[in-house]
């Protein structure tokens, strides 16, 4: 569950509310070498100006895939390729753009909640398997199930609080 929160923090760091930041492209995954890989494994990201990112692709053959991945990332960015260098202008934060970023933050938080619930399901399944083996009693299953649910609720609440804070930050003019 801690991993889900850490992942959400990284994803939120990529949602900008001010100036250009290399972490903005952290969640972007590129179709390369027969699978999806993080952008940072196929290119170098630099911030040459306050409103511009520069992505230097290491393999010329991947330049189009990187450009497409950035465009399709849901971050509302429109990259422009120049050979192995891709320039990503950062648009001004209009009300529409702020709403797009808030929706992206909500998608990231929902993914984190799904991950937390997956951990809860695994914990519940493990508890039930111990009961079937006879390692623990039904009363212990109830106690452990309640503890797992309380922990899950606490993490989901933390995710909701992180989302509310990020939305406040995004909406701030």
């Amino acid at each position: 569950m801690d991993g889900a929160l850490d992942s959400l923090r990284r994803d939120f760091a990529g949602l900008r509310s001010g100036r250009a930041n290399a972490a903005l492209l952290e969640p972007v995954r590129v179709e390369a070498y027969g699978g999806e890989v993080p952008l940072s494994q196929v290119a170098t990201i630099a911030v040459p100006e306050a409103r511009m990112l520069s992505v230097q692709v290491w393999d010329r053959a991947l330049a189009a895939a990187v450009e497409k991945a950035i465009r399709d990332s849901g971050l509302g960015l429109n990259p422009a390729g120049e050979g192995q260098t891709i320039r990503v202008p950062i648009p001004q934060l209009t009300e529409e753009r702020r709403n797009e970023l808030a929706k992206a933050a909500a998608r990231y938080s929902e993914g984190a909640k799904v991950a937390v619930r997956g951990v809860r399901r695994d914990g519940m399944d493990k508890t039930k398997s111990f009961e079937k083996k006879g390692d623990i009693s039904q009363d212990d299953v109830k106690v452990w199930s309640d503890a797992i649910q309380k922990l899950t609720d606490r993490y989901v609440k933390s995710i909701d609080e992180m989302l509310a804070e990020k939305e406040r930050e995004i909406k701030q003019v």
Side-chain angles (χ1 to χ4, degrees):
M1 292 185 187
D2 285 333
L5 285 181
D6 290 342
S7 176
L8 183 61
R9 280 188 195 94
R10 281 191 306 276
D11 289 344
F12 279 177
L15 291 177
R16 74 177 187 92
S17 58
R19 47 180 270 139
N21 177 339
L24 177 65
L25 297 179
E26 224 172 79
V28 176
R29 299 189 61 77
V30 179
E31 185 69 36
Y33 309 120
E36 281 195 352
V37 297
L39 178 61
S40 61
Q41 291 185 4
V42 295
T44 302
I45 304 166
V47 184
E49 300 173 24
R51 296 223 170 273
M52 178 74 67
L53 292 173
S54 175
V55 179
Q56 183 68 40
V57 182
W58 301 328
D59 184 353
R60 184 186 271 298
L62 294 177
V66 168
E67 193 173 337
K68 181 181 184 315
I70 294 170
R71 187 172 288 114
D72 297 344
S73 67
L75 296 172
L77 300 173
N78 191 17
E82 301 168 1
Q84 285 182 255
T85 302
I86 298 170
R87 303 219 179 273
V88 185
I90 306 299
Q92 284 281 44
L93 285 181
T94 62
E95 187 64 29
E96 181 181 325
R97 178 85 175 114
R98 290 176 195 279
N99 289 335
E100 286 177 22
L101 290 174
K103 286 178 186 176
R107 279 195 311 271
Y108 291 151
S109 70
E110 192 55 41
K113 286 179 187 178
V114 168
V116 166
R117 290 180 188 128
V119 172
R120 177 191 61 192
R121 183 188 62 241
D122 292 345
M124 296 288 196
D125 291 346
K126 188 70 113 175
T127 303
K128 289 176 184 171
S129 73
F130 285 145
E131 179 190 20
K132 285 181 183 176
K133 290 180 191 175
D135 292 344
I136 60 175
S137 68
Q138 284 184 339
D139 291 339
D140 289 339
V141 169
K142 177 72 173 136
V143 168
W144 281 103
S145 295
D146 289 346
I148 291 169
Q149 185 59 49
K150 284 179 185 175
L151 187 62
T152 302
D153 292 343
R154 194 172 82 220
Y155 275 88
V156 167
K157 183 179 178 195
S158 293
I159 290 169
D160 288 338
E161 289 169 354
M162 288 173 63
L163 174 61
E165 176 62 31
K166 190 62 179 182
E167 284 178 337
R168 261 192 311 278
E169 182 183 321
I170 290 170
K171 299 286 183 171
Q172 185 178 14
V173 177

